[in-house]
Coordinates of all heavy atoms in Angstrom, one line a residue:
M24 N 20.1 -196.8 57.0 CA 19.5 -197.8 57.8 C 19.0 -198.9 56.9 O 18.5 -198.6 55.8 CB 18.3 -197.2 58.6 CG 18.4 -197.5 60.1 SD 17.0 -196.9 61.0 CE 17.3 -195.2 61.2
S25 N 19.0 -200.1 57.3 CA 18.5 -201.2 56.5 C 17.0 -201.1 56.4 O 16.4 -200.5 57.2 CB 19.0 -202.5 57.0 OG 18.3 -202.8 58.2
R26 N 16.5 -201.8 55.4 CA 15.1 -201.8 55.1 C 14.4 -202.6 56.2 O 13.2 -202.4 56.5 CB 14.8 -202.3 53.7 CG 15.2 -201.4 52.6 CD 14.4 -201.6 51.4 NE 14.8 -200.7 50.3 CZ 14.4 -199.5 50.1 NH1 13.5 -199.0 50.9 NH2 14.9 -198.8 49.1
N27 N 15.0 -203.6 56.8 CA 14.4 -204.3 57.9 C 14.7 -203.7 59.2 O 15.8 -203.4 59.5 CB 15.0 -205.8 57.9 CG 14.6 -206.5 56.6 OD1 13.5 -206.4 56.1 ND2 15.5 -207.4 56.2
I28 N 13.6 -203.4 59.9 CA 13.7 -202.8 61.2 C 14.1 -203.9 62.2 O 13.4 -204.9 62.3 CB 12.4 -202.2 61.7 CG1 12.0 -201.1 60.7 CG2 12.5 -201.6 63.1 CD1 10.6 -200.6 60.8
P29 N 15.3 -203.7 62.8 CA 15.7 -204.8 63.8 C 14.6 -205.0 64.8 O 14.0 -204.1 65.4 CB 17.0 -204.2 64.4 CG 17.4 -203.2 63.5 CD 16.2 -202.6 62.8
K30 N 14.3 -206.3 65.0 CA 13.3 -206.7 66.0 C 13.6 -206.2 67.4 O 12.6 -205.7 68.1 CB 13.1 -208.2 66.0 CG 12.6 -208.8 64.7 CD 11.2 -208.4 64.4 CE 10.8 -209.0 63.0 NZ 9.6 -208.5 62.5
D31 N 14.8 -206.1 67.8 CA 15.1 -205.7 69.1 C 14.8 -204.2 69.3 O 14.4 -203.7 70.3 CB 16.6 -206.0 69.5 CG 17.6 -205.5 68.6 OD1 17.3 -205.2 67.4 OD2 18.8 -205.3 69.0
A32 N 15.1 -203.4 68.2 CA 14.7 -202.0 68.3 C 13.2 -201.8 68.4 O 12.8 -201.0 69.2 CB 15.3 -201.2 67.0
L33 N 12.5 -202.5 67.6 CA 11.0 -202.4 67.6 C 10.5 -202.9 68.9 O 9.6 -202.2 69.5 CB 10.4 -203.2 66.4 CG 8.9 -202.9 66.1 CD1 8.7 -201.4 65.8 CD2 8.5 -203.7 64.9
N34 N 11.0 -203.9 69.5 CA 10.6 -204.4 70.8 C 10.9 -203.4 71.9 O 10.1 -203.2 72.8 CB 11.3 -205.8 71.1 CG 10.7 -206.9 70.3 OD1 9.6 -206.8 69.7 ND2 11.5 -207.9 70.1
A35 N 12.1 -202.8 71.8 CA 12.4 -201.8 72.8 C 11.5 -200.6 72.7 O 11.1 -200.0 73.8 CB 13.9 -201.3 72.6
I36 N 11.1 -200.2 71.5 CA 10.2 -199.0 71.4 C 8.8 -199.4 71.9 O 8.2 -198.7 72.7 CB 10.1 -198.6 69.9 CG1 11.4 -198.0 69.4 CG2 8.9 -197.7 69.7 CD1 11.5 -197.9 67.9
N37 N 8.3 -200.6 71.6 CA 7.1 -201.1 72.1 C 7.1 -201.2 73.6 O 6.1 -200.8 74.3 CB 6.6 -202.4 71.5 CG 6.2 -202.2 70.0 OD1 5.8 -201.2 69.6 ND2 6.4 -203.3 69.2
K38 N 8.1 -201.7 74.2 CA 8.2 -201.8 75.6 C 8.2 -200.4 76.3 O 7.5 -200.2 77.3 CB 9.5 -202.6 76.0 CG 9.7 -202.8 77.5 CD 10.9 -203.6 77.8 CE 11.1 -203.9 79.3 NZ 12.3 -204.6 79.6
K39 N 9.0 -199.5 75.7 CA 9.1 -198.2 76.3 C 7.8 -197.4 76.2 O 7.4 -196.7 77.1 CB 10.2 -197.4 75.7 CG 10.6 -196.1 76.4 CD 12.0 -195.7 76.0 CE 12.4 -194.7 77.0 NZ 13.8 -194.8 77.4
T40 N 7.1 -197.6 75.1 CA 5.9 -196.8 74.9 C 4.6 -197.5 75.5 O 3.6 -196.9 75.7 CB 5.6 -196.5 73.4 OG1 5.4 -197.8 72.7 CG2 6.7 -195.7 72.8
G41 N 4.7 -198.8 75.7 CA 3.6 -199.6 76.1 C 2.5 -199.7 75.0 O 1.4 -200.0 75.3
K42 N 3.0 -199.5 73.8 CA 2.0 -199.6 72.7 C 2.6 -200.6 71.7 O 3.8 -200.7 71.5 CB 1.8 -198.2 72.0 CG 0.8 -198.2 71.0 CD 0.5 -196.8 70.5 CE -0.6 -196.8 69.5 NZ -0.9 -195.6 68.9
N43 N 1.8 -201.3 71.0 CA 2.3 -202.3 70.0 C 2.3 -201.6 68.6 O 1.4 -201.6 67.9 CB 1.4 -203.5 70.0 CG 1.9 -204.6 69.1 OD1 3.1 -204.6 68.8 ND2 1.1 -205.5 68.6
I44 N 3.5 -201.1 68.3 CA 3.7 -200.5 67.0 C 4.3 -201.6 66.1 O 5.2 -202.2 66.4 CB 4.7 -199.3 67.1 CG1 4.2 -198.3 68.0 CG2 5.0 -198.7 65.7 CD1 5.2 -197.2 68.4
T45 N 3.6 -201.8 64.9 CA 4.0 -202.8 64.0 C 5.0 -202.4 63.1 O 5.2 -201.2 62.8 CB 2.8 -203.3 63.2 OG1 2.3 -202.2 62.4 CG2 1.6 -203.8 64.1
E46 N 5.8 -203.3 62.5 CA 6.8 -203.0 61.6 C 6.2 -202.4 60.3 O 6.7 -201.5 59.7 CB 7.6 -204.3 61.2 CG 8.7 -204.0 60.3 CD 9.6 -205.3 60.1 OE1 9.3 -206.3 60.7 OE2 10.5 -205.2 59.3
S47 N 5.0 -202.9 59.9 CA 4.3 -202.3 58.8 C 3.9 -200.9 59.0 O 4.0 -200.0 58.0 CB 3.1 -203.2 58.3 OG 2.1 -203.1 59.4
A48 N 3.5 -200.5 60.2 CA 3.2 -199.1 60.5 C 4.4 -198.2 60.4 O 4.3 -197.1 59.8 CB 2.5 -199.0 61.8
V49 N 5.5 -198.7 60.8 CA 6.8 -197.9 60.8 C 7.2 -197.8 59.3 O 7.6 -196.7 58.9 CB 7.9 -198.6 61.6 CG1 9.2 -197.9 61.4 CG2 7.5 -198.6 63.1
K50 N 7.1 -198.9 58.5 CA 7.5 -198.8 57.1 C 6.6 -197.9 56.3 O 7.0 -197.2 55.5 CB 7.4 -200.2 56.5 CG 8.6 -201.1 56.9 CD 8.5 -202.5 56.3 CE 9.7 -203.3 56.7 NZ 9.7 -204.6 56.0
K51 N 5.3 -197.9 56.7 CA 4.3 -197.0 56.0 C 4.7 -195.5 56.2 O 4.8 -194.7 55.3 CB 2.9 -197.3 56.5 CG 1.9 -196.4 55.8 CD 0.5 -196.8 56.3 CE -0.6 -195.9 55.6 NZ -1.9 -196.1 56.1
L52 N 5.0 -195.2 57.5 CA 5.4 -193.8 57.8 C 6.8 -193.5 57.1 O 7.0 -192.5 56.5 CB 5.5 -193.6 59.3 CG 6.0 -192.2 59.8 CD1 5.0 -191.2 59.3 CD2 6.1 -192.2 61.3
A53 N 7.7 -194.5 57.2 CA 9.0 -194.2 56.6 C 9.0 -194.0 55.1 O 9.8 -193.3 54.5 CB 9.9 -195.4 56.9
S54 N 8.0 -194.7 54.5 CA 7.9 -194.5 53.0 C 7.5 -193.1 52.6 O 7.7 -192.7 51.4 CB 6.9 -195.5 52.4 OG 5.5 -195.2 52.8
T55 N 7.0 -192.3 53.5 CA 6.6 -191.0 53.2 C 7.8 -190.0 53.3 O 7.7 -188.8 52.9 CB 5.4 -190.5 54.1 OG1 5.9 -190.4 55.4 CG2 4.2 -191.4 54.0
V56 N 8.9 -190.5 53.9 CA 10.0 -189.6 54.2 C 10.9 -189.6 53.0 O 11.3 -190.6 52.4 CB 10.8 -190.1 55.4 CG1 12.0 -189.3 55.7 CG2 9.9 -190.1 56.7
K57 N 11.3 -188.4 52.6 CA 12.2 -188.2 51.5 C 13.4 -187.4 52.0 O 13.4 -186.9 53.1 CB 11.5 -187.4 50.4 CG 10.2 -188.1 49.9 CD 9.6 -187.3 48.8 CE 8.3 -188.0 48.2 NZ 7.7 -189.1 48.8
P58 N 14.5 -187.4 51.2 CA 15.7 -186.7 51.7 C 15.4 -185.2 52.0 O 15.9 -184.7 53.0 CB 16.7 -186.8 50.5 CG 16.3 -188.1 49.9 CD 14.8 -188.2 50.0
T59 N 14.5 -184.7 51.3 CA 14.1 -183.2 51.5 C 13.4 -183.1 52.8 O 13.4 -182.0 53.4 CB 13.3 -182.7 50.4 OG1 12.1 -183.5 50.2 CG2 14.0 -182.6 49.1
T60 N 12.7 -184.1 53.3 CA 12.0 -184.0 54.6 C 13.0 -183.7 55.7 O 12.7 -182.9 56.6 CB 11.3 -185.4 54.9 OG1 10.4 -185.7 53.9 CG2 10.6 -185.3 56.2
M61 N 14.2 -184.2 55.7 CA 15.1 -184.0 56.7 C 15.8 -182.7 56.6 O 16.4 -182.2 57.6 CB 16.2 -185.1 56.7 CG 15.6 -186.5 57.0 SD 14.7 -186.5 58.5 CE 14.1 -188.2 58.5
Q62 N 15.7 -182.0 55.5 CA 16.3 -180.7 55.3 C 15.3 -179.6 55.5 O 15.7 -178.4 55.6 CB 17.0 -180.6 54.0 CG 18.1 -181.6 53.9 CD 18.7 -181.7 52.5 OE1 18.4 -180.9 51.6 NE2 19.6 -182.6 52.4
N63 N 14.0 -179.9 55.5 CA 12.9 -178.9 55.6 C 12.4 -178.9 57.1 O 11.8 -179.9 57.5 CB 11.8 -179.2 54.6 CG 10.7 -178.2 54.7 OD1 10.1 -177.9 55.8 ND2 10.4 -177.6 53.6
E64 N 12.7 -177.9 57.8 CA 12.3 -177.9 59.3 C 10.8 -178.2 59.5 O 10.5 -178.9 60.4 CB 12.8 -176.6 59.9 CG 12.6 -176.7 61.4 CD 13.3 -175.6 62.2 OE1 14.3 -175.0 61.7 OE2 12.8 -175.2 63.3
D65 N 10.0 -177.6 58.7 CA 8.5 -177.8 58.9 C 8.1 -179.2 58.7 O 7.4 -179.8 59.4 CB 7.7 -176.9 57.9 CG 7.8 -175.4 58.3 OD1 8.1 -175.1 59.5 OD2 7.6 -174.5 57.4
Q66 N 8.7 -179.8 57.6 CA 8.4 -181.2 57.3 C 9.0 -182.1 58.4 O 8.3 -183.1 58.8 CB 9.0 -181.6 55.9 CG 8.2 -181.0 54.8 CD 8.9 -181.4 53.4 OE1 9.8 -182.1 53.4 NE2 8.3 -180.8 52.4
L67 N 10.2 -181.8 58.9 CA 10.8 -182.6 59.9 C 10.0 -182.5 61.2 O 9.7 -183.5 61.9 CB 12.2 -182.1 60.1 CG 13.1 -182.9 61.1 CD1 13.1 -184.4 60.8 CD2 14.5 -182.4 61.2
R68 N 9.5 -181.4 61.5 CA 8.7 -181.2 62.7 C 7.4 -182.0 62.6 O 6.9 -182.7 63.5 CB 8.3 -179.7 62.9 CG 9.4 -178.9 63.5 CD 9.1 -177.4 63.6 NE 10.1 -176.7 64.2 CZ 10.2 -176.6 65.6 NH1 9.3 -177.2 66.3 NH2 11.2 -175.9 66.1
Q69 N 6.8 -182.0 61.4 CA 5.6 -182.8 61.1 C 5.9 -184.3 61.3 O 5.1 -185.0 61.9 CB 5.0 -182.5 59.7 CG 3.8 -183.2 59.4 CD 2.6 -182.9 60.3 OE1 2.5 -181.7 60.7 NE2 1.7 -183.8 60.6
L70 N 7.0 -184.7 60.8 CA 7.4 -186.2 60.9 C 7.5 -186.5 62.4 O 7.1 -187.6 62.9 CB 8.7 -186.4 60.2 CG 9.3 -187.8 60.3 CD1 8.3 -188.9 59.8 CD2 10.6 -187.9 59.6
I71 N 8.2 -185.7 63.2 CA 8.4 -185.9 64.6 C 7.0 -186.0 65.3 O 6.8 -186.9 66.1 CB 9.2 -184.8 65.3 CG1 10.7 -184.9 64.7 CG2 9.2 -184.9 66.8 CD1 11.5 -183.6 65.0
K72 N 6.1 -185.2 64.9 CA 4.8 -185.2 65.5 C 4.0 -186.5 65.1 O 3.3 -187.1 65.9 CB 4.0 -184.0 65.2 CG 4.5 -182.7 65.9 CD 3.8 -181.5 65.4 CE 4.5 -180.2 66.1 NZ 3.9 -179.0 65.6
Q73 N 4.2 -187.0 63.9 CA 3.6 -188.2 63.5 C 4.1 -189.4 64.2 O 3.3 -190.3 64.7 CB 3.8 -188.4 62.0 CG 3.0 -187.5 61.1 CD 3.3 -187.6 59.6 OE1 4.5 -187.7 59.2 NE2 2.3 -187.7 58.8
V74 N 5.4 -189.4 64.4 CA 6.0 -190.5 65.2 C 5.6 -190.5 66.6 O 5.2 -191.5 67.2 CB 7.6 -190.4 65.1 CG1 8.2 -191.4 66.1 CG2 8.0 -190.7 63.7
S75 N 5.5 -189.3 67.2 CA 5.0 -189.1 68.5 C 3.6 -189.6 68.7 O 3.3 -190.3 69.7 CB 5.1 -187.6 68.9 OG 4.4 -187.4 70.1
A76 N 2.7 -189.3 67.7 CA 1.3 -189.8 67.8 C 1.3 -191.3 67.6 O 0.5 -191.9 68.3 CB 0.5 -189.1 66.7
M77 N 2.1 -191.8 66.7 CA 2.1 -193.3 66.5 C 2.5 -194.0 67.8 O 1.9 -195.0 68.2 CB 3.1 -193.7 65.4 CG 3.1 -195.2 65.2 SD 4.5 -195.7 64.1 CE 4.2 -194.8 62.6
A78 N 3.5 -193.5 68.5 CA 4.0 -194.1 69.7 C 3.2 -193.7 70.9 O 3.4 -194.2 72.0 CB 5.4 -193.7 70.0
N79 N 2.3 -192.7 70.8 CA 1.4 -192.2 71.8 C 2.3 -191.7 73.0 O 2.1 -191.9 74.2 CB 0.5 -193.3 72.4 CG -0.6 -192.7 73.2 OD1 -1.0 -191.5 73.0 ND2 -1.2 -193.5 74.1
V80 N 3.4 -191.0 72.6 CA 4.3 -190.4 73.5 C 4.4 -188.9 73.2 O 4.8 -188.5 72.1 CB 5.7 -191.0 73.4 CG1 6.7 -190.3 74.3 CG2 5.7 -192.5 73.7
P81 N 4.0 -188.0 74.2 CA 4.0 -186.6 73.9 C 5.5 -186.1 73.8 O 6.3 -186.6 74.5 CB 3.3 -186.0 75.2 CG 3.3 -187.1 76.2 CD 3.5 -188.4 75.5
V82 N 5.7 -185.2 72.9 CA 7.0 -184.6 72.7 C 6.9 -183.1 72.9 O 6.1 -182.4 72.3 CB 7.6 -184.9 71.3 CG1 8.9 -184.3 71.1 CG2 7.6 -186.4 71.1
S83 N 7.7 -182.6 73.8 CA 7.7 -181.2 74.1 C 8.4 -180.4 73.0 O 9.1 -180.9 72.2 CB 8.4 -180.9 75.4 OG 9.8 -181.1 75.3
E84 N 8.1 -179.1 72.9 CA 8.7 -178.2 71.9 C 10.2 -178.2 72.0 O 10.9 -178.2 71.0 CB 8.1 -176.8 72.0 CG 8.6 -175.9 70.9 CD 8.2 -176.3 69.5 OE1 7.2 -177.0 69.3 OE2 9.0 -176.0 68.6
S85 N 10.7 -178.2 73.3 CA 12.2 -178.2 73.4 C 12.8 -179.5 72.9 O 13.9 -179.5 72.3 CB 12.6 -178.0 74.9 OG 12.2 -179.1 75.7
T86 N 12.1 -180.6 73.1 CA 12.6 -181.9 72.6 C 12.6 -181.9 71.0 O 13.5 -182.4 70.4 CB 11.8 -183.1 73.1 OG1 11.9 -183.1 74.5 CG2 12.3 -184.4 72.6
I87 N 11.5 -181.4 70.5 CA 11.4 -181.2 69.0 C 12.6 -180.4 68.5 O 13.2 -180.8 67.5 CB 10.0 -180.6 68.6 CG1 8.9 -181.6 68.8 CG2 10.1 -180.3 67.1 CD1 7.5 -181.1 68.6
K88 N 12.9 -179.3 69.2 CA 14.0 -178.5 68.7 C 15.3 -179.2 68.8 O 16.1 -179.1 67.9 CB 14.1 -177.2 69.6 CG 13.0 -176.2 69.3 CD 13.1 -175.0 70.2 CE 12.0 -174.0 70.0 NZ 12.1 -172.8 70.9
D89 N 15.5 -180.0 69.9 CA 16.7 -180.8 70.0 C 16.8 -181.9 68.9 O 17.9 -182.1 68.4 CB 16.7 -181.6 71.4 CG 16.9 -180.6 72.6 OD1 17.3 -179.5 72.4 OD2 16.6 -181.0 73.7
I90 N 15.7 -182.5 68.6 CA 15.7 -183.5 67.5 C 16.0 -182.9 66.2 O 16.9 -183.4 65.4 CB 14.4 -184.3 67.5 CG1 14.2 -185.1 68.7 CG2 14.4 -185.2 66.2 CD1 12.8 -185.7 68.9
V91 N 15.4 -181.7 65.9 CA 15.6 -181.0 64.6 C 17.1 -180.6 64.5 O 17.7 -180.8 63.5 CB 14.7 -179.8 64.5 CG1 15.1 -178.9 63.4 CG2 13.3 -180.2 64.3
S92 N 17.6 -180.1 65.6 CA 19.0 -179.7 65.6 C 20.0 -180.9 65.4 O 20.9 -180.8 64.6 CB 19.4 -179.0 67.0 OG 20.7 -178.7 67.1
A93 N 19.7 -182.0 66.1 CA 20.5 -183.2 65.9 C 20.5 -183.8 64.5 O 21.5 -184.2 64.0 CB 20.1 -184.3 66.9
V94 N 19.3 -183.7 63.9 CA 19.2 -184.2 62.5 C 19.9 -183.3 61.6 O 20.6 -183.8 60.7 CB 17.7 -184.3 62.1 CG1 17.5 -184.6 60.6 CG2 17.0 -185.4 62.9
K95 N 19.8 -182.0 61.8 CA 20.5 -181.1 60.9 C 22.1 -181.3 61.0 O 22.8 -181.2 60.1 CB 20.1 -179.7 61.2 CG 18.8 -179.3 60.7 CD 18.5 -177.9 60.9 CE 17.2 -177.5 60.3 NZ 16.9 -176.0 60.5
K96 N 22.5 -181.5 62.3 CA 24.0 -181.6 62.5 C 24.5 -183.0 62.0 O 25.6 -183.1 61.6 CB 24.3 -181.6 64.0 CG 24.2 -180.2 64.5 CD 24.4 -180.2 66.0 CE 24.2 -178.8 66.6 NZ 24.3 -178.8 68.1
S97 N 23.6 -184.0 61.9 CA 24.0 -185.3 61.4 C 24.4 -185.3 60.0 O 25.2 -186.2 59.5 CB 22.9 -186.3 61.7 OG 21.9 -186.2 60.7
G98 N 24.0 -184.4 59.2 CA 24.3 -184.4 57.8 C 23.6 -185.5 57.0 O 24.0 -185.9 55.9
M99 N 22.6 -186.1 57.6 CA 21.9 -187.2 57.0 C 22.8 -188.5 56.7 O 22.5 -189.2 55.8 CB 21.2 -186.8 55.7 CG 19.9 -186.0 56.0 SD 18.9 -186.7 57.2 CE 18.4 -188.2 56.4
N100 N 23.8 -188.6 57.4 CA 24.6 -189.8 57.3 C 23.8 -191.0 58.0 O 23.3 -190.8 59.1 CB 25.9 -189.6 58.1 CG 26.8 -190.8 58.1 OD1 26.4 -191.9 58.4 ND2 28.1 -190.5 57.9
T101 N 23.7 -192.1 57.3 CA 22.9 -193.2 57.8 C 23.4 -193.7 59.2 O 22.6 -193.9 60.1 CB 23.0 -194.4 56.8 OG1 22.5 -194.0 55.6 CG2 22.2 -195.6 57.3
Q102 N 24.7 -193.7 59.4 CA 25.3 -194.1 60.6 C 24.9 -193.1 61.7 O 24.6 -193.5 62.8 CB 26.8 -194.2 60.5 CG 27.5 -194.8 61.7 CD 28.2 -196.1 61.3 OE1 28.5 -196.2 60.1 NE2 28.5 -196.9 62.2
S103 N 24.9 -191.8 61.4 CA 24.5 -190.8 62.3 C 23.0 -190.9 62.7 O 22.7 -190.7 63.9 CB 24.7 -189.4 61.8 OG 26.1 -189.2 61.5
M104 N 22.2 -191.2 61.8 CA 20.8 -191.4 62.1 C 20.5 -192.6 63.0 O 19.7 -192.6 63.9 CB 20.0 -191.5 60.8 CG 19.9 -190.3 59.9 SD 19.4 -188.8 60.9 CE 17.7 -189.2 61.1
E105 N 21.3 -193.7 62.8 CA 21.2 -194.9 63.6 C 21.6 -194.5 65.0 O 21.0 -194.9 66.0 CB 22.0 -196.0 63.0 CG 21.3 -196.6 61.8 CD 22.1 -197.8 61.2 OE1 23.2 -198.1 61.7 OE2 21.7 -198.2 60.1
S106 N 22.7 -193.7 65.1 CA 23.2 -193.3 66.5 C 22.2 -192.4 67.2 O 21.9 -192.6 68.4 CB 24.5 -192.5 66.3 OG 25.5 -193.3 65.8
L107 N 21.5 -191.5 66.4 CA 20.5 -190.7 66.9 C 19.3 -191.5 67.5 O 18.8 -191.3 68.6 CB 20.0 -189.7 65.9 CG 18.9 -188.8 66.3 CD1 19.3 -187.9 67.4 CD2 18.4 -187.9 65.1
M108 N 18.9 -192.5 66.7 CA 17.8 -193.4 67.1 C 18.2 -194.1 68.4 O 17.4 -194.2 69.4 CB 17.5 -194.4 66.1 CG 16.3 -195.3 66.4 SD 16.0 -196.5 65.1 CE 15.0 -197.6 65.9
Q109 N 19.4 -194.6 68.5 CA 19.9 -195.3 69.7 C 19.9 -194.4 70.9 O 19.5 -194.7 72.0 CB 21.2 -195.9 69.5 CG 21.2 -197.1 68.6 CD 22.6 -197.6 68.2 OE1 23.6 -197.0 68.6 NE2 22.6 -198.8 67.5
M110 N 20.3 -193.1 70.7 CA 20.4 -192.1 71.8 C 19.0 -191.8 72.3 O 18.7 -191.8 73.5 CB 21.0 -190.8 71.3 CG 21.0 -189.7 72.3 SD 21.6 -188.1 71.6 CE 20.1 -187.7 70.6
M111 N 18.0 -191.7 71.4 CA 16.7 -191.4 71.7 C 16.0 -192.5 72.5 O 15.2 -192.3 73.4 CB 15.9 -190.9 70.5 CG 16.3 -189.6 70.0 SD 15.7 -189.2 68.3 CE 14.0 -189.8 68.3
M112 N 16.4 -193.8 72.1 CA 15.8 -194.9 72.8 C 16.2 -195.0 74.2 O 15.6 -195.6 75.1 CB 16.1 -196.2 72.0 CG 15.3 -196.3 70.8 SD 15.7 -197.7 69.7 CE 15.8 -199.0 70.9
K113 N 17.4 -194.5 74.6 CA 17.9 -194.5 75.9 C 17.2 -193.6 76.9 O 17.3 -193.7 78.1 CB 19.4 -194.3 75.9 CG 20.2 -195.4 75.3 CD 21.7 -195.1 75.2 CE 22.4 -196.2 74.5 NZ 23.9 -195.9 74.4
K114 N 16.6 -192.5 76.3 CA 15.9 -191.5 77.2 C 14.7 -192.0 77.8 O 14.0 -192.9 77.3 CB 15.6 -190.2 76.4 CG 16.8 -189.4 76.1 CD 16.4 -188.1 75.5 CE 17.6 -187.2 75.4 NZ 17.3 -185.9 75.0

């Protein structure tokens, strides 16, 4: 994913959540993510919970399991992660 968060994606997230999430807040959280984060289920779960809290959107355990599974299946391909983000924004 590019370093610049597309404004339309951020606007869609803010519209869907009803919360004003800033680009700097997303970048701050993203800066804590390392390649190992996506391969460690506990760290990945923690990241999902942090994003959930930032967006003020509750995430069920089954949704967390689905996200973890999708991330593991993606193989950390940048294109796959962008597709995953788009899929999640449609829900």
Side-chain angles (χ1 to χ4, degrees):
M24 230 184 283
S25 68
R26 293 208 182 268
N27 294 324
I28 299 167
K30 296 292 182 193
D31 55 339
L33 195 56
N34 289 336
I36 292 167
N37 286 334
K38 183 178 178 182
K39 191 157 195 140
T40 63
K42 187 171 181 183
N43 187 23
I44 300 170
T45 64
E46 185 173 356
S47 63
V49 173
K50 285 181 178 181
K51 183 178 177 182
L52 180 60
S54 72
T55 67
V56 178
K57 299 181 179 14
T59 56
T60 303
M61 298 303 176
Q62 296 174 5
N63 180 305
E64 188 167 331
D65 291 334
Q66 290 178 3
L67 185 54
R68 286 174 172 277
Q69 182 62 33
L70 176 62
I71 293 165
K72 290 175 184 177
Q73 288 175 314
V74 172
S75 171
M77 179 191 302
N79 198 27
V80 175
V82 179
S83 69
E84 185 59 32
S85 69
T86 301
I87 291 173
K88 286 180 184 178
D89 290 344
I90 295 170
V91 168
S92 176
V94 169
K95 286 183 176 182
K96 287 178 185 174
S97 77
M99 285 310 299
N100 176 317
T101 302
Q102 192 118 18
S103 297
M104 293 306 291
E105 288 177 3
S106 297
L107 176 63
M108 181 180 166
Q109 290 173 352
M110 176 188 75
M111 290 168 37
M112 285 176 44
K113 290 179 184 176
K114 285 190 171 188

